[in-house]
């Protein structure tokens, strides 16, 4: 139960670019890779261990074989053998579609899936890069439908300028889009359910417009104007800074100039470290693994401590 690294699952996307390769060093030949799935339990895209004696073993096999030792007792009680979160790095060379995700109840009813609450940490942003997050005013359902029919949806959108370190929490029902020129880390519920409502009339490589989910989205959207998405968090050096604490995941920010030791014996959950800057070596009771910007490590729940050795690293620490 040493610190586990996993093979990235790389996804070409219409809007993808080369930053996952050029900036984060992912093993990519394509010029349109948009996503690196770092840790996934999504059916058909199950992560495999990349280091140590367990190399080649799937995350699903690890959960079946090690259960509570890997995930934690409370996590197994809630999710069984399902891994509850999906960890990604995303490179948007072009704007992503305007979309939203259903809540747990709607996703269960329609797709037998979890909903998709997510958060973004901005790792790099080109000058002028923006996100779309929510509406710029309270909107009636009929007004939204009319804007789709007239092609004026963009006039209702709220635009947020971004820079490195900005963090956003995207709850279910909130309409959103990642803008061109953005490299980010994403933490989300394990779900691939997305309702795409506008795609800038783009065509895929075969000349086809991508599918829209207009009717499904109408009853899933939160039409109310809410300023609840920009995460304000402390950024104190060499300590654990809370970013997001929601029912689906907890994320802390670690900006380290030196070593950090943590007793995690009472933490009834696995711990994930996403490196968003610098490099470090992360150790637990049974071993260690090196991590650099753009890499991810899973610390099993049975670990009693974690020791981070570094001369400079920025890490997202994720637990359930």
């Amino acid at each position: 139960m040493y610190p586990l690294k996993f093979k990235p699952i790389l996804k070409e996307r219409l809007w993808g670019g080369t930053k996952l390769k050029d900036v984060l060093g992912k093993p990519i030949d394509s010029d349109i890779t948009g996503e690196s799935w770092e840790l996934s339990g999504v059916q058909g895209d199950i992560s495999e261990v990349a280091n140590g004696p367990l190399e080649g073993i799937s995350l699903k096999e690890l959960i079946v074989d090690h259960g509570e030792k890997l995930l934690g007792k409370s996590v197994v009680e809630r999710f069984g053998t399902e891994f509850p979160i999906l960890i990604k790095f995303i490179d948007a060379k072009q704007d992503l579609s305007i979309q939203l995700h259903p809540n747990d109840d709607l996703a269960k009813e329609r797709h037998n899936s979890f909903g998709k609450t997510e958060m973004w940490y901005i790792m790099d942003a080109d000058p002028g890069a923006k996100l779309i997050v929510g509406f710029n005013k309270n909107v009636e359902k009929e007004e939204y439908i009319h804007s789709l029919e007239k092609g004026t949806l963009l006039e209702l959108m709220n635009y947020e300028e971004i820079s490195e370190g900005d963090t956003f929490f995207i709850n279910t029902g909130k309409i959103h889009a990642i803008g061109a020129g953005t490299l980010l880390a994403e933490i989300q519920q394990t779900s691939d359910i997305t309702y795409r409502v506008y795609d800038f009339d783009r065509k895929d490589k075969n000349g086809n417009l991508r599918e829209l989910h207009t009717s499904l989205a109408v009853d899933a959207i939160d039409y109310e104007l809410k300023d609840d998405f920009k995460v304000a968090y402390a950024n104190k050096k060499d300590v654990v800074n809370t970013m997001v604490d929601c029912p689906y995941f907890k994320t802390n920010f670690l900006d380290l100039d030196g070593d950090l030791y943590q007793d995690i014996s009472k933490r009834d959950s696995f711990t994930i470290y996403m490196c968003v800057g610098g490099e470090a070596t992360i150790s637990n009771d049974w071993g260690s693994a090196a991590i650099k910007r753009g890499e991810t490590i899973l610390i099993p729940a049975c670990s009693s401590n974690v020791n981070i050795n570094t001369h400079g690293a920025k890490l997202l620490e994720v637990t359930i």
Side-chain angles (χ1 to χ4, degrees), residues 217-280:
V218 167
D219 293 328
I221 295 175
D222 183 353
Y223 294 98
E224 187 178 346
L225 173 65
K226 293 178 179 175
D227 185 17
D228 61 352
F229 45 81
K230 185 77 176 285
V231 177
Y233 64 97
N235 186 7
K236 296 179 180 178
K237 288 279 190 178
D238 300 316
V239 297
V240 176
N241 301 283
T242 300
M243 300 178 91
V244 169
D245 188 348
C246 74
Y248 307 106
F249 51 81
K250 301 174 183 178
T251 304
N252 301 317
F253 183 67
L254 282 60
D255 187 357
L256 305 178
D257 285 335
D259 299 345
L260 181 71
Y261 172 86
Q262 294 189 80
D263 180 347
I264 59 171
S265 57
K266 301 293 193 294
R267 182 180 292 174
D268 190 18
S269 166
F270 57 87
T271 303
I272 296 167
Y273 290 99
M274 300 183 77
C275 187
V276 295
E279 57 187 28

Side-chain angles (χ1 to χ4, degrees), residues 50 53 59 103 120 162 206 210 213 259 264 268 297 311:
L59 178 59
N103 62 29
W120 300 330
I162 55 173
N206 298 316
R210 292 201 296 173
H213 309 97
D259 299 345
I264 59 171
D268 190 18
I297 283 178
H311 296 295

